[in-house]
Amino acid sequence: MSSILINALLSSCHDPDTLFNMLCWPTDSWPDTERVEALTTFIDGIGKLPQSDDGDKVAFSTAKRDLFLRKVESIIWTQCLPLLLKVSDGDGACKGKSVQDGRAEITNAVCRLLSVCINTLCDTAVSGRVARTVLPSFQLPDGETEEELPGQGEGRLGIDVAIEAMSVILPTLSSNEELTTSILSSALSCIKTLSDALVSKITVRLIFTLLNCYSEDRIASTLQFILQDLCSWHKSDSSNTTSPVVTERTLLCLTALSDYLFSPAKLQQHTLPQSLSYTRPDPRRSLQFWRILQDGLTHKDNVSRKRALYLLKRCVALSEDEALEFPSSSVSSEDNEEIIFRWAPDRSKLLREFWEDYALIMETLEENQIHVVRPVLNRIHTLIQTAANDCQGVSLFHPSWLLGVYQRMFHSENKSVMREGVDHLLELQVLRRPAFAQAFSQFIVGPFMDVMSESSLFHRTAGQSVGECPELGVKLQVFMVTFFSSLPQENRGPVLLQLVQRLGSQHWCAVPVLFLSRALSHLPPCPLLGPDGLQALREVLRCTMITHQVLLRGAAQCFLLNSTLSLTDVTSVTLDDVFSLLVHFRADESLPRGTPLWNQLCDWLADSEGSFIPCDRESADGTSTSPERETVRGYVQHQMEFFLRVPAGADQTDSVPDPGEAELLAKAILLCVDIEGRTQRRSGGEETTGVSGGMDSLFRPLLDTLSRLHTNVYLPLRKTDKSLQLLLRLLQLTPARHPAAVEKEQEDSVTVSMEMLVLGVVEPIQEFILRRLSGELQELCDVERAELYLSVLKEVVLMYSVLEWNHSKVQEAYFPRLLRYVLRILEADQIPSVAGQVSRAVAMASLAMTCEVAALGVFNLQSESMILLVHLSSYFYSPAPPPAPPLSLVHFNQSLLKPPTVHQSTGVSEQGPLLQDWGRMAAHFIRDQWTILGYGRRIGPPGPLELPRASGSLEAAIEALSLLPSGLVLPVLDFMASMLPQVALSEEALCVEAVTVSWKLVLGLSSNPHDFWPTLQGFVTMAFHHSLLELTVDQAPGLTATLQQIAVELMELSQAKTGVFNVLIQHCCHTWLPSDPGSEGQSQSDAMFSSALLHPDILAEACVYGPVFRRDQRLIQEVQVFVERLGEKCAANTAVPSDNRDDQFPRVCVVAFLSRLQPSNQLHERLMEELVLRLLKKDEAISKSKQRYYSNSLQHRVKNRVWQTLLMLLPKLRGEFVGTILGRVFEAGFVSNQASVKYLIEWKMVLILVQYPEHIDRLWTCFRVDQEKTKTSVCTFLSVLVHLNIIMPQLKEKALQWRKALDVILQWCFSHNFSVRLYALLALKRVWGLEGARAEAEEGAGGPDGLGGLATVVKACLHQAEAMQSTGNASKNWTRIQDHFFFGVFHPVRDYSVETIFYTFPSLSEVFEDEWIPPWKFEKLVDFSQSASLPLRNPVPDLSQIQPGDWIQQDKGDQDGEERWAEVQKKMTPWRLGIQEQGPELGLVPQQRAARLGKLHSSLLVVASLIDKPTNLGGLCRTCEIFGASGLVLDSLRHVSDKHFQALSVSSELWLPLLEVKPVDLADFLQLKKREGYCIVGVEQTANSQSLKDYRFPEKTLLLLGNERQGIPANLLQLLDVCVEIPQQGVIRSLNVHVSAALLVWEYTRQYLPSTGVKSH
């Protein structure tokens, strides 16, 4: 058409040059797209005209043509390239279009013009110059990114413009190998640096264009060049953090080139002559290619994963089609690289099945639903077995393929899938093979360790009880032993080192570290850890575990120490290495002296002596020597010498040395002494003598230093500090410091020997410390030194207080001297200097320590020390000097005077390091005052304070709470506890303020466990003092309301923080706990107990307490229980004191409290009755709420706890009171309750009727309630009648009551409800068994108690019940209900015990295990009072020996293992764009998208312009994309943004070419496609339509779909080549248009399936 127009134009225009010039545009202007296209058409038409010199008007003469070609060339340089530069810089107007659309449109137009110009010139030199002009635009300067590229200023095109320009130049450059190679190199460089959208564009527009222009030999060399470049790039970047991006880019390029790399032409290669064969590169021969694939299969981007799997499938398909061995034997023998992929033609079937399973698993793992993933997991076993059993020569399946499967599961968002993956790996039997273990080793220390840091994996599984080791923990232990045992010996040490380093290199939660440490502790003893291993363990102890819960951290330390003892290579480490590690095992967490772990450590050190590498030892003269044999004693003696070696000229104003050195040396000394003692004991020697002599030689340097403390004034201060630090740590580490050890009959020989040795230097120590405290400490650093002195003095005084001579000297000489000095300092005027303020701080700290010692009963009441203490405590209450008010308390909250910050003479600032600890010193100064005040309140001044002074004291205490850091307020709370009762009635508002401020302070500490728990304990003791609990609302309404509100908030806090409510209930129960009835304090006890009647809410809440914690909180609690169950096997249980933070403790505590109540005491009786009423009210509130509750929900648990408590209190209640609540008990039976609650209510009814049989008639009344109300709840009362045999002996008119029971049961035997009938039949069977034979005999004898015809009815009913044994499910249910524990083994009277109520019943009623309270908790945690009416344990074990189960529970069959052929659901996730800037992708042609995605398209074009519903169009778009249609035609592209369209399309519109053709233009469009060779197929029922099952689609098919209502219009039917209809069987003669289209699209796809490579779904 264009040639005709051009001919006509030339015929009418005599001067083409004029027209040429008119179509060109000025270089400084921006032409319209239409003008550029017109010029393109003109040049193209002129260029095609014939050349002639005969005067033909429509032909060109040679001269004119030459002139024309020169003008065309000038167009390139003056029009095209300048305009492209403008487009690159973004200049010009877009004429109403978006900037992006305008730039794209003009770029395409100019590039078409450029292409026409180059093709018209047919001059490779010109095209080469143009290419060299564009080429610099592909070269990014160093350090610049795509966004930072300069524009026209440097004459470079924008990269997107350059790509389009170069793509039209390349076809003319195919012969210029040098230039095309440069262009290819630049394109590959851009692939590594530009955005994903541009990478796709470069791949399709440049690389594809090059390959399409090349000959076969050039294609082969180019592909080889590209493959090598990509593989080298990936290999060089594999260790960098950007490697995921590199993998993504390389996969994109390889997928795009897959048709070239895996060309079908290779299949016929063996049929071609040798001379014509080609050698395209085979990616399968490159190890790095397989590394790229494996990285892609586990990539975080799902598109990259799909690309990798697509390439893998192509490799497998090619290998199968070639039917050749891969790699060939010659390549295998010459190449030393690892071979990841193999193919053997003789094992083709096995290999195909393996890779099919592998692909299925990897595709299915794209899903997150466990129900989709689980069915294919058995295929993993198939893969493993295939790989493991393949033992013919070399392995066909490399283990690394299995690692990809596990890594995908580890990265799943679904924790269940992740857990399945971990379980599979832990149970791998093939890891018993050394080759597999070695192949898996780096995976274990990498991805496996990463996934093991997930705490949720360690939840206990179904069937495990609380306290058991989680199933994963057990499997992990077995796995670690198997794995390390299977590793080659030379690899075990490096792998273990990497594993430990992994533990210290990232954040780990407490639970994973605990179980990994436990697994390592079970490894067989083997010398694997050297100095690097011990250093790695130090990092784990020092960094990883520092924030973990104390008990779990201690347990993990114990396991790691066990691992250290069994895995350390003692021949490669020094004792320095060992003790540097041991110092991190804390005595208060994991390594207390005297535990089995400590003894195990001693034995290990003793056995290893002589094997350690000797340490270099520096002597006093500076020379270094090494002993021939390293012993622990030699090492300790050298360390002691080195520790106490201090230069004589050391600075006397230094701060206190780091206590870490003293900690290490003290631990080493005690270990050395214990090693020698255990050695002597094993050899049969006298331990005491040996220990004493050994300790004397070890302690001699320390004792020599300590003995000279008082007399040698020139002793370096640093040396005295270090000696006292070592002494203090030794005293603290001895077992005598632990209460359990103090109670032993035989004292520890080491402790005794050490006390005897220190006794010789105790006087110099005390004299030195008292001298230093009495005025010598005046520097700021001396405050910390004073703390050291006071700690040592306290330890020494307490240790030797039993010695009369020392005790007398201490209380009559040492402390009086110190106290007089303190009084002088405190009464003196303050001096605002560092020395003066330090003296005051030290004096106050000394007085506080003295009060702490006195509180322990060290001083006699008549001693001078106590007299001075009373005088000093009165000092704080002494009246203030005038003009202050007479009762003001000026000595409360005294503060230190901060020294001036500027020197008065020089003006130089003194602020800085000198005063940096001033705040800490000032806070401790105030804290020490309140320690003294608290002790002073216990010893004086005598009598209560005057009211103004008492209220002033409380105000000062409130002020102190705001002054002190939160961790130092305990002494203030202790003081307030003694002051609040004194002013509660007179100063209520002040008391309310004190309690409120204190509670806010406690809340502020909730995230600081170190300070929170002691502060909470102090607050509860203060705020809930028994005197305050006794206050009534009338006496102190504000204070009582405040306490009630705080109690509520405290319970709310306990929902998130376990153990908070425990503190309150334990305190209250201890306060209210009644004493023995006959004791002298009975009246006082009753007075204190009466306050419980004012706070029954606290007890009621404790009875039903038990929060439902989050899974992570529950996990921590369960693992702590597991650790506690280890007992002495784990030293942490000895070192870490029990904190009573069990969430069951409040219930245990209140049940123990209630067990102590006596029915004979009226106060106790009132409290129990009030508690019962409150609990019934709670139950009724839940029952009346419209919210439905489910099994084990919080509502269910509360109801269960209510009835447990009511059942437990029943024997203690008065009969009259029971009669008043019986109606409410029966009413509860009509409520629909969970099974566990139902059993408790029924049990309570039975016990009430046994104990009070006079209420039997009220039971019969329950059966007369309207049946509509009872529904199935009548089963509750029928259950009571099942136990009539227990009630009958207590009844008076037994025969009459038995007959009533028979009557009410029979009427329910004919209920329409199956469950009711079952209960009634069971009750009938049991009740008839009681008196049935007697009644029949009576009737036969003609007695008055005869049944008449009733016996026949009863027997018929019982016969019906027995006949159910042959009726399937009815038979099962009849058997189950008879065997159920409540109707079988259970005896309501015999089995009445705390154990049955709180442990056995819940366990048999399918209540979660965290609701079961075992009896040992009542024995261990509280003082439980047993009685004959309420025993703790069940007298017979029958009930505890049966298994839980309910008769209504259906059978749960185990799912059989899946066969290979079992059906699995393989859901396909839509392709998603993992990049930004999706717009450029939509502008690509189908071939470009196919290259980006690795997808193949068919030649099917679907036209849906007649469809107008977005939902149908969205679903149709998804269908066409899935089955690879070449495009979808819509009436408007605006449908794509419709939310209904997007809901059905799930992003498929991003990957399917969409065209817009209006319905009015549809006829022209169909005619155009006909000319292009398409067969137009309509989906319509016509007279001549063909059946879909018989029709064979042409490859180029256009599928026209009709409108939802009118179908295909008549005018379009004439354009169809054929109509196809879908065979139907139903009455309705139409399908949804999307469904119809999907059927036809699939049929087309099925017919061309082999050639399109569509994946099966």
Side-chain angles (χ1 to χ4, degrees), residues 140-309:
L140 289 176
D142 293 339
E144 288 189 359
T145 63
E146 172 197 344
E147 291 75 11
E148 297 167 347
L149 279 176
Q152 185 170 326
E154 297 186 10
R156 297 199 324 200
L157 302 178
I159 189 66
D160 54 343
V161 176
I163 292 171
E164 294 299 329
M166 188 64 79
S167 67
V168 301
I169 303 171
L170 278 177
T172 64
L173 300 175
S174 58
S175 60
N176 191 337
E177 184 174 353
E178 180 183 356
L179 183 56
T180 53
T181 303
S182 298
I183 295 172
L184 180 61
S185 298
S186 298
L188 291 174
S189 298
C190 290
I191 286 174
K192 301 171 185 175
T193 54
L194 299 182
S195 66
D196 284 6
L198 292 174
V199 169
S200 300
K201 207 169 186 179
I202 288 173
T203 305
V204 175
R205 303 291 285 148
L206 298 186
I207 298 179
F208 273 20
T209 304
L210 272 176
L211 293 174
N212 290 333
C213 298
Y214 281 165
S215 61
E216 184 57 44
D217 58 336
R218 289 288 302 280
I219 290 177
S221 61
T222 302
L223 288 175
Q224 183 67 38
F225 180 82
I226 295 172
L227 184 62
Q228 288 180 350
D229 185 86
L230 293 175
C231 290
S232 300
W233 181 36
H234 185 271
K235 184 176 182 179
S236 63
D237 205 84
S238 58
S239 60
N240 297 335
T241 56
T242 56
S243 57
V245 177
V246 176
T247 302
E248 185 178 350
R249 297 287 176 84
T250 53
L251 284 171
L252 188 154
C253 296
L254 290 171
T255 307
L257 297 170
S258 59
D259 283 341
Y260 292 94
L261 294 172
F262 306 104
S263 173
K266 301 189 72 174
L267 302 178
Q268 285 78 35
Q269 180 177 351
H270 62 282
T271 65
L272 296 174
Q274 184 65 29
S275 60
L276 298 179
S277 64
Y278 54 87
T279 55
R280 285 194 186 183
D282 188 348
R284 297 174 298 165
R285 300 190 184 279
S286 170
L287 173 63
Q288 198 59 35
F289 170 77
W290 295 110
R291 297 295 187 204
I292 294 171
L293 255 63
Q294 290 186 338
D295 287 350
L297 289 172
T298 58
H299 200 278
K300 62 181 180 180
D301 175 43
N302 68 328
V303 175
S304 296
R305 295 196 297 269
K306 290 187 177 185
R307 290 189 182 118
L309 190 59

Side-chain angles (χ1 to χ4, degrees), residues 524-591:
C526 187
L528 302 178
L529 292 175
D532 291 340
L534 298 187
Q535 173 63 30
L537 284 171
R538 280 199 296 274
E539 288 301 309
V540 175
L541 295 167
R542 189 175 63 87
C543 301
T544 306
M545 298 165 53
I546 193 67
T547 59
H548 293 174
Q549 292 83 354
V550 177
L551 182 62
L552 302 190
R553 182 172 66 214
Q557 289 179 20
C558 295
F559 291 132
L560 285 178
L561 183 53
N562 274 315
S563 304
T564 304
L565 301 185
S566 62
L567 301 176
T568 300
D569 180 7
V570 294
T571 62
S572 65
V573 299
T574 65
L575 279 174
D576 259 341
D577 297 327
V578 173
F579 281 103
S580 296
L581 174 64
L582 292 178
V583 75
H584 293 287
F585 292 96
R586 299 179 52 170
D588 58 346
E589 291 181 3
S590 59
L591 196 57

Side-chain angles (χ1 to χ4, degrees), residues 622-669:
T623 61
S624 180
T625 60
S626 296
E628 294 182 1
R629 183 176 183 273
E630 185 73 286
T631 63
V632 177
R633 171 171 279 274
Y635 170 81
V636 172
Q637 288 176 332
H638 173 262
Q639 290 299 113
M640 176 75 83
E641 178 187 347
F642 181 79
F643 178 77
L644 295 175
R645 189 187 303 162
V646 177
D651 190 356
Q652 296 295 308
T653 61
D654 279 350
S655 59
V656 178
D658 180 12
E661 295 181 41
E663 172 76 21
L664 187 151
L665 184 55
K667 191 166 289 185
I669 291 172

